[in-house]
Amino acid sequence: MDAKEKNRNNKCILAVWNSGTKGKTETVREFAKLLLATYTNYIEIFPIPASIPSKNDFRLVVNINGLIVGIESQGDPKTGLEKRLLELSDIYKCDLIVCTCRTRGETVWAVDSVAGSRGYETIWSSTYQVVGKNQQQVSNNLKAKHLLELLNSLGKI
């Protein structure tokens, strides 16, 4: 078993965290688009057909070369993030979960709780913070690309 195969056996949650309105959902949305464009042989699990809405929060679960990847963009307080992460872990059996959360409080606890109780490694990453809406969109897109490259480099995908 090579290093990449060994790392793929380690379940992982990648949490994109920041305070409100800092581009977390848009970064994860762009990540999802890049993921599907990069791994065109994916198998849809949820929703069917696989879709990434241009607005609002979303969930996406796909099988990529035997790896179950779940993406959960709703990471605001009081939205049941822990329950949704548990569904990705227990119902969909995700090997990799990409989610958003705030920088403190119940959403961070949700990620920590699920990671600890379900045996996931955790990677915490923030969005890039820039001033200006046009620059924020460019930064979100670049961050999504960097996250995909990071997960590839770590052998998680």
Side-chain angles (χ1 to χ4, degrees):
M1 177 183 312
D2 65 18
K4 189 165 188 168
E5 283 298 313
K6 183 177 180 186
N7 283 335
R8 284 186 63 182
N9 291 332
N10 297 329
K11 297 187 300 184
C12 181
I13 297 176
L14 186 151
V16 178
W17 64 343
N18 211 327
S19 56
T21 68
K22 298 293 186 198
K24 298 178 297 295
T25 294
E26 292 309 313
T27 297
V28 170
R29 185 183 325 282
E30 185 63 23
F31 172 85
K33 290 177 186 176
L34 288 170
L35 184 72
L36 297 186
T38 302
Y39 298 96
T40 57
N41 62 337
Y42 66 88
I43 299 169
E44 305 158 324
I45 298 174
F46 181 88
I48 297 175
S51 64
I52 304 161
S54 60
K55 296 199 183 287
N56 300 320
D57 288 298
F58 68 98
R59 171 182 281 179
L60 177 70
V61 183
V62 293
N63 180 321
I64 296 175
N65 301 325
L67 183 82
I68 307 299
V69 179
I71 300 173
E72 181 64 56
S73 75
Q74 175 57 271
D76 291 335
K78 305 206 183 327
T79 60
L81 179 60
E82 185 170 9
K83 178 181 179 233
R84 286 180 282 109
L85 294 176
L86 286 169
E87 289 172 357
L88 290 173
S89 172
D90 298 349
I91 296 171
Y92 292 104
K93 307 296 186 199
C94 291
D95 302 293
L96 172 64
I97 297 172
V98 177
C99 68
T100 67
C101 72
R102 297 292 177 91
T103 54
R104 60 187 171 149
E106 74 174 74
T107 60
V108 173
W109 302 331
V111 173
D112 280 339
S113 174
V114 173
S117 68
R118 299 305 192 264
Y120 285 86
E121 296 176 350
T122 309
I123 299 171
W124 298 94
S125 185
S126 65
T127 57
Y128 296 131
Q129 286 186 237
V130 297
V131 177
K133 191 164 181 77
N134 290 338
Q135 296 302 319
Q136 187 67 55
Q137 183 176 358
V138 170
S139 298
N140 293 344
N141 293 349
L142 187 57
K143 181 64 176 196
K145 181 180 176 189
H146 291 165
L147 292 174
L148 186 59
E149 289 174 357
L150 172 68
L151 291 169
N152 273 312
S153 295
L154 294 174
K156 299 297 181 186
I157 299 179

